[in-house]
Amino acid sequence: MWTMLLVIAAYVSGSLPVGVWIGNWVGVDVRRVGSRNIGATNVARTIGRQAGLLTLLGDVAKGVVPTLLARHMMSDPWTIALTGLAAVFGHLFSVFLSFSGGKGVATAFGVFVVLTPAAAALSACLFAVTAFRTGYISLASILSAAALPLITAVCGYPAPSSVMALLVAISIIVRHRDNIIRLRNGVEPRLAIRRGSK
C-alpha cells in the first residue's frame, strides 16, 4: 500500500511542469519556442537565465523530495529506487502535459543526489566540464547520463541503484535523439556559458 502511494506521489511530483508554469507566468509557452523543451536550458534561452535557474531548481527538487521521503519511510532499496524512477518518468511523461514532458536530466540528478550522492557528484563534474569546454548542454547531458551507471557500479552502490541508473541513462539518451542528430550535423545550438561561445 505505502509503496504504491509513494510511487504515485513521486510520479505526480515529477510531472509538475515547472518550466511551463514559469513560462506561462511571463506569457511565453516554452513548448512553442526555441527547442520546445520544458527544461531549464530552453527556458534560459527563451526567457532568461533567472527563469532557467528557477526551472533547474524546481526540476531537481521534483526528484529530491519524493526520494528523500521514500528513504525516510521505507527500508527496501528496490522500493526507494522505484520511487525515484517514478519521479523521473513523471517528468518524461507528465500527467499535466498529456503525457509529454522534458528530458529528465535535472530530475534524475535530484534523485541520484539522494540515492547515490558520490556518483551524482562525479556525474555532475563530467557534465560541468563537458558543458564548459564545448558549450553543448545536450552533449554534457548525454555523456553524464551514459557514465552514471558505470560510476554507480564502481562506487559500490547496491544493485537497485545501478539498475535504476541504467534505465534512466537509456531514457535520457533516447530523449536526446534529436540533439544527437543536430550534434552530428553540426547545427546544435550552444549555450553561452563560456567566453567566446556562440
Side-chain angles (χ1 to χ4, degrees):
M1 178 66 176
W2 281 112
T3 297
M4 182 179 296
L5 289 175
L6 280 170
V7 169
I8 292 172
Y11 172 77
V12 173
S13 173
S15 289
L16 300 175
V18 177
V20 174
W21 289 344
I22 290 174
N24 289 344
W25 181 262
V26 299
V28 176
D29 187 347
V30 296
R31 295 168 295 176
R32 298 182 181 274
V33 295
S35 67
R36 301 184 179 183
N37 185 45
I38 67 171
T41 302
N42 191 45
V43 173
R45 282 198 185 107
T46 57
I47 301 177
R49 291 190 178 185
Q50 289 185 337
L53 179 59
L54 287 174
T55 302
L56 176 64
L57 293 175
D59 285 347
V60 170
K62 294 189 312 186
V64 169
V65 173
T67 312
L68 271 178
L69 183 62
R71 195 173 69 174
H72 176 72
M73 294 179 61
M74 311 295 286
S75 59
D76 177 28
W78 287 102
T79 299
I80 299 168
L82 182 62
T83 302
L85 187 64
V88 175
F89 273 73
H91 183 81
L92 297 176
F93 308 102
S94 172
V95 69
F96 300 105
L97 301 176
S98 301
F99 301 102
S100 64
K103 296 180 178 177
V105 177
T107 302
F109 176 72
V111 170
F112 284 99
V113 162
V114 177
L115 282 183
T116 61
L122 290 172
S123 184
C125 288
L126 176 59
F127 176 96
V129 169
T130 304
F132 182 78
R133 293 295 297 271
T134 69
Y136 291 124
I137 299 298
S138 57
L139 180 60
S141 299
I142 293 164
L143 291 180
S144 59
L148 183 61
L150 177 60
I151 296 172
T152 301
V154 169
C155 288
Y157 286 105
S161 297
S162 296
V163 170
M164 182 190 164
L166 180 60
L167 294 174
V168 167
I170 293 170
S171 300
I172 288 174
I173 292 168
V174 169
R175 279 289 187 169
H176 280 84
R177 57 191 179 276
D178 292 338
N179 302 88
I180 294 170
I181 293 171
R182 290 195 295 268
L183 285 165
R184 186 178 61 192
N185 294 336
V187 295
E188 176 76 349
R190 284 186 168 95
L191 190 66
I193 57 176
R194 60 189 182 95
R195 188 183 300 274
S197 61
K198 295 181 181 179

